[in-house]
Protein backbone atom coordinates (compact mmCIF):
# COMPACT_ATOMS: atom_id res chain seq x y z
CA UNK A 1 0.00 0.00 0.00
CA UNK A 2 2.83 2.38 0.80
CA UNK A 3 4.41 1.68 -2.61
CA UNK A 4 1.19 2.64 -4.35
CA UNK A 5 0.98 5.89 -2.38
CA UNK A 6 4.60 6.67 -3.24
CA UNK A 7 3.59 6.59 -6.91
CA UNK A 8 0.10 8.09 -6.79
CA UNK A 9 0.81 11.11 -4.59
CA UNK A 10 3.62 12.55 -6.77
CA UNK A 11 1.63 11.71 -9.91
CA UNK A 12 -1.45 13.52 -8.62
CA UNK A 13 0.66 16.44 -7.44
CA UNK A 14 2.36 16.79 -10.81
CA UNK A 15 -0.95 16.56 -12.71
CA UNK A 16 -2.48 19.22 -10.46
CA UNK A 17 0.57 21.49 -10.79
CA UNK A 18 0.69 21.09 -14.58
CA UNK A 19 -3.00 21.93 -15.02
CA UNK A 20 -2.67 24.83 -12.60
CA UNK A 21 0.36 26.05 -14.55
CA UNK A 22 -1.28 25.99 -17.97
CA UNK A 23 -4.51 27.60 -16.74
CA UNK A 24 -2.85 30.44 -14.82
CA UNK A 25 -2.80 33.85 -16.49
CA UNK A 26 0.58 34.95 -17.83
CA UNK A 27 0.54 38.08 -15.64
CA UNK A 28 0.28 35.98 -12.45
CA UNK A 29 3.37 33.84 -13.15
CA UNK A 30 6.61 34.77 -11.42
CA UNK A 31 10.34 34.37 -12.24
CA UNK A 32 10.18 32.04 -15.27
CA UNK A 33 7.95 32.18 -18.38
CA UNK A 34 4.89 29.94 -18.44
CA UNK A 35 6.18 27.38 -21.02
CA UNK A 36 9.35 26.83 -18.98
CA UNK A 37 7.31 26.25 -15.82
CA UNK A 38 5.21 23.66 -17.67
CA UNK A 39 8.34 21.88 -18.94
CA UNK A 40 9.89 21.99 -15.46
CA UNK A 41 6.77 20.41 -13.96
CA UNK A 42 6.73 17.69 -16.63
CA UNK A 43 10.45 16.86 -16.58
CA UNK A 44 10.92 16.96 -12.82
CA UNK A 45 7.51 15.99 -11.44
CA UNK A 46 8.15 16.19 -7.72
CA UNK A 47 10.60 19.10 -7.58
CA UNK A 48 8.91 21.01 -10.41
CA UNK A 49 5.46 20.61 -8.91
CA UNK A 50 6.48 21.71 -5.45
CA UNK A 51 8.47 24.66 -6.79
CA UNK A 52 5.52 25.71 -8.98
CA UNK A 53 3.12 25.57 -6.06
CA UNK A 54 5.45 27.47 -3.73
CA UNK A 55 7.02 30.16 -5.95
CA UNK A 56 5.58 29.74 -9.44
CA UNK A 57 2.69 32.16 -9.31
CA UNK A 58 1.12 34.77 -7.13
CA UNK A 59 -1.69 33.48 -4.98
CA UNK A 60 -4.68 35.71 -4.41
CA UNK A 61 -6.41 35.75 -1.05
CA UNK A 62 -9.60 33.66 -1.10
CA UNK A 63 -11.85 36.63 -0.35
CA UNK A 64 -10.92 38.52 -3.50
CA UNK A 65 -12.32 37.61 -6.86
CA UNK A 66 -10.04 37.01 -9.81
CA UNK A 67 -9.41 39.56 -12.55
CA UNK A 68 -11.96 37.84 -14.75
CA UNK A 69 -14.74 38.93 -12.41
CA UNK A 70 -15.48 35.52 -10.91
CA UNK A 71 -18.83 33.79 -10.87
CA UNK A 72 -21.55 35.13 -8.64
CA UNK A 73 -24.87 33.43 -7.99
CA UNK A 74 -27.77 35.26 -9.65
CA UNK A 75 -29.49 36.06 -6.37
CA UNK A 76 -26.25 37.69 -5.13
CA UNK A 77 -25.62 39.64 -8.33
CA UNK A 78 -27.04 43.18 -8.07
CA UNK A 79 -26.85 43.72 -11.85
CA UNK A 80 -28.95 40.61 -12.49
CA UNK A 81 -31.53 41.61 -9.89
CA UNK A 82 -31.71 45.10 -11.41
CA UNK A 83 -32.29 43.61 -14.87
CA UNK A 84 -35.16 41.53 -13.47
CA UNK A 85 -36.79 44.64 -12.07
CA UNK A 86 -36.33 46.41 -15.40
CA UNK A 87 -37.81 43.46 -17.33
CA UNK A 88 -40.81 43.18 -15.04
CA UNK A 89 -41.46 46.90 -15.44
CA UNK A 90 -41.56 46.54 -19.23
CA UNK A 91 -43.85 43.49 -19.15
CA UNK A 92 -46.35 44.96 -16.69
CA UNK A 93 -47.18 47.85 -19.04
CA UNK A 94 -48.15 50.16 -16.21
CA UNK A 95 -49.52 47.69 -13.65
CA UNK A 96 -49.05 48.39 -9.97
CA UNK A 97 -47.27 45.77 -7.90
CA UNK A 98 -50.22 45.34 -5.57
CA UNK A 99 -49.98 42.14 -3.47
CA UNK A 100 -53.77 41.77 -3.55
CA UNK A 101 -53.65 41.58 -7.36
CA UNK A 102 -50.97 38.91 -7.15
CA UNK A 103 -53.08 36.86 -4.73
CA UNK A 104 -56.19 37.05 -6.89
CA UNK A 105 -54.11 36.25 -9.95
CA UNK A 106 -52.71 33.17 -8.19
CA UNK A 107 -56.18 32.12 -7.10
CA UNK A 108 -57.43 32.46 -10.69
CA UNK A 109 -54.57 30.25 -11.93
CA UNK A 110 -55.32 27.67 -9.26
CA UNK A 111 -59.02 27.64 -10.14
CA UNK A 112 -58.20 27.18 -13.83
CA UNK A 113 -55.88 24.27 -13.02
CA UNK A 114 -58.49 22.61 -10.83
CA UNK A 115 -61.17 23.00 -13.52
CA UNK A 116 -58.82 21.56 -16.11
CA UNK A 117 -58.01 18.62 -13.81
CA UNK A 118 -61.70 17.87 -13.26
CA UNK A 119 -62.37 18.03 -17.01
CA UNK A 120 -59.50 15.64 -17.74
CA UNK A 121 -60.62 13.20 -15.02
CA UNK A 122 -64.16 13.15 -16.43
CA UNK A 123 -62.83 12.62 -19.95
CA UNK A 124 -60.67 9.74 -18.74
CA UNK A 125 -63.64 8.09 -17.01
CA UNK A 126 -65.73 8.41 -20.18
CA UNK A 127 -62.96 6.78 -22.21
CA UNK A 128 -62.79 3.86 -19.81
CA UNK A 129 -66.49 3.24 -20.33
CA UNK A 130 -67.94 4.53 -17.08
CA UNK A 131 -70.32 7.46 -16.90
CA UNK A 132 -68.50 8.89 -13.91
CA UNK A 133 -71.62 9.18 -11.75
CA UNK A 134 -72.85 5.62 -11.12
CA UNK A 135 -72.03 3.05 -8.44
CA UNK A 136 -69.86 1.14 -10.96
CA UNK A 137 -67.19 3.82 -10.66
CA UNK A 138 -66.64 3.26 -6.96
CA UNK A 139 -63.99 0.84 -5.80
CA UNK A 140 -65.33 -2.69 -5.35
CA UNK A 141 -65.65 -4.02 -1.79
CA UNK A 142 -62.90 -6.34 -0.63
CA UNK A 143 -63.96 -9.97 -0.02
Amino acid sequence: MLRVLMILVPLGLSIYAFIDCITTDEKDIRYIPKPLWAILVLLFPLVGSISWLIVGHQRKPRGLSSGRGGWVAPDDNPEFLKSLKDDSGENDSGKDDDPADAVTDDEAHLKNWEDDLRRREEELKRREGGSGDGPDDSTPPKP
Side-chain angles (χ1 to χ4, degrees):
M1 181 70 181
L2 189 59
R3 290 181 187 176
V4 173
L5 285 177
M6 289 176 55
I7 294 171
L8 289 180
V9 169
L11 179 67
L13 180 66
S14 62
I15 290 172
Y16 172 77
F18 180 72
I19 291 173
D20 189 38
C21 177
I22 61 175
T23 58
T24 301
D25 288 336
E26 192 74 39
K27 63 180 174 153
D28 294 333
I29 296 177
R30 298 188 294 181
Y31 305 121
I32 303 174
K34 186 176 184 175
L36 289 177
W37 272 115
I39 291 171
L40 181 70
V41 168
L42 288 177
L43 291 180
F44 306 102
L46 193 60
V47 174
S49 300
I50 292 172
S51 61
W52 165 255
L53 293 174
I54 293 175
V55 296
H57 64 93
Q58 296 174 345
R59 298 278 179 197
K60 292 183 178 78
R62 284 192 178 262
L64 299 175
S65 63
S66 65
R68 294 176 290 231
W71 184 84
V72 178
D75 58 341
D76 292 337
N77 188 344
E79 294 173 8
F80 177 76
L81 295 173
K82 183 178 181 291
S83 73
L84 286 179
K85 289 178 184 174
D86 293 343
D87 289 345
S88 68
E90 293 171 4
N91 293 339
D92 286 345
S93 64
K95 281 188 183 177
D96 292 339
D97 289 335
D98 188 15
D101 289 342
V103 169
T104 57
D105 197 29
D106 289 342
E107 289 173 354
H109 282 296
L110 181 61
K111 185 172 180 352
N112 288 340
W113 286 343
E114 288 173 344
D115 293 341
D116 187 45
L117 179 63
R118 282 190 204 103
R119 182 188 55 79
R120 290 179 185 217
E121 286 175 344
E122 290 172 4
E123 183 180 321
L124 184 62
K125 286 180 183 180
R126 273 186 259 129
R127 282 186 192 166
E128 291 176 352
S131 64
D133 297 329
D136 294 338
D137 291 338
S138 63
T139 57
K142 293 184 180 179

